Amino acid sequence: MNKKTDLNEESPLTKVIDDVSEGINDAGTVFNSEETPVIADSTGKEAVRYLLWGLLSVVVNFGTFFLLYHTMHLNYQFANIVAWFLGVQVGFWVDRIIVFRHKSNTAFREMLAFYGTRILTFLIETATLWVGISLLSANGTGSKVVGQILAIVGNYILSKFFIFKNKH
């Protein structure tokens, strides 16, 4: 039995797609040209978002470091610089859009400040790698983990209070 579907009748899939697109069309703009006051977000929820979404930049950082240092056997400092750069770039956009829900028209200026603060935590991580690998002959991955923990804590504080401080 071959039953033809009436073209005017909506299928369940079409209804779902229409509902989703209607919701997207009703959503406000993510970025606008003027600074907008935002609703205060609980620091606890923000910290949880930072830790959960921050894992993405950590995965990029660790993945790049592992690939360059362990797989390609490149110098650990070079591998760390490349991994740091890629991780910071991912981290900037994740922090700006998802974690701190920051809205402004100054993304480039914020990115420069973001990189500036990340240089400080990069130096801390680099020193941790140097002490761990060069002085203590420790495992490169273990040294990287310790450096990342120190960097994550410092990065959250610097981002929250200096880079993405929203006006309430």
Side-chain angles (χ1 to χ4, degrees), residues 81-94:
I81 289 171
V82 173
W84 174 82
F85 179 79
L86 293 176
V88 170
Q89 191 61 38
V90 168
F92 172 76
W93 292 107
V94 167

Side-chain angles (χ1 to χ4, degrees), residues 59-110:
V59 166
V60 168
N61 189 315
F62 267 91
T64 304
F65 181 78
F66 183 85
L67 179 69
L68 297 177
Y69 178 63
H70 290 293
T71 306
M72 299 175 73
H73 306 290
L74 297 176
N75 176 276
Y76 72 87
Q77 294 291 14
F78 174 77
N80 193 48
I81 289 171
V82 173
W84 174 82
F85 179 79
L86 293 176
V88 170
Q89 191 61 38
V90 168
F92 172 76
W93 292 107
V94 167
D95 285 359
R96 186 175 201 274
I97 295 169
I98 298 171
V99 175
F100 298 106
R101 297 178 179 168
H102 189 72
K103 297 177 183 180
S104 73
N105 61 347
T106 58
F108 185 72
R109 187 174 353 146
E110 291 162 0

Side-chain angles (χ1 to χ4, degrees), residues 1 3 7 9 18 22 34 36 38 40 54 57-60 75 77 81 87 96 105-106 135 142 161 168:
M1 234 171 141
K3 183 178 177 185
L7 293 177
E9 186 179 316
D18 288 345
E22 184 177 316
E34 56 189 56
T36 311
V38 295
S57 60
V58 170
V59 166
V60 168
N75 176 276
Q77 294 291 14
I81 289 171
R96 186 175 201 274
N105 61 347
T106 58
L135 296 182
F161 296 107
H168 298 297

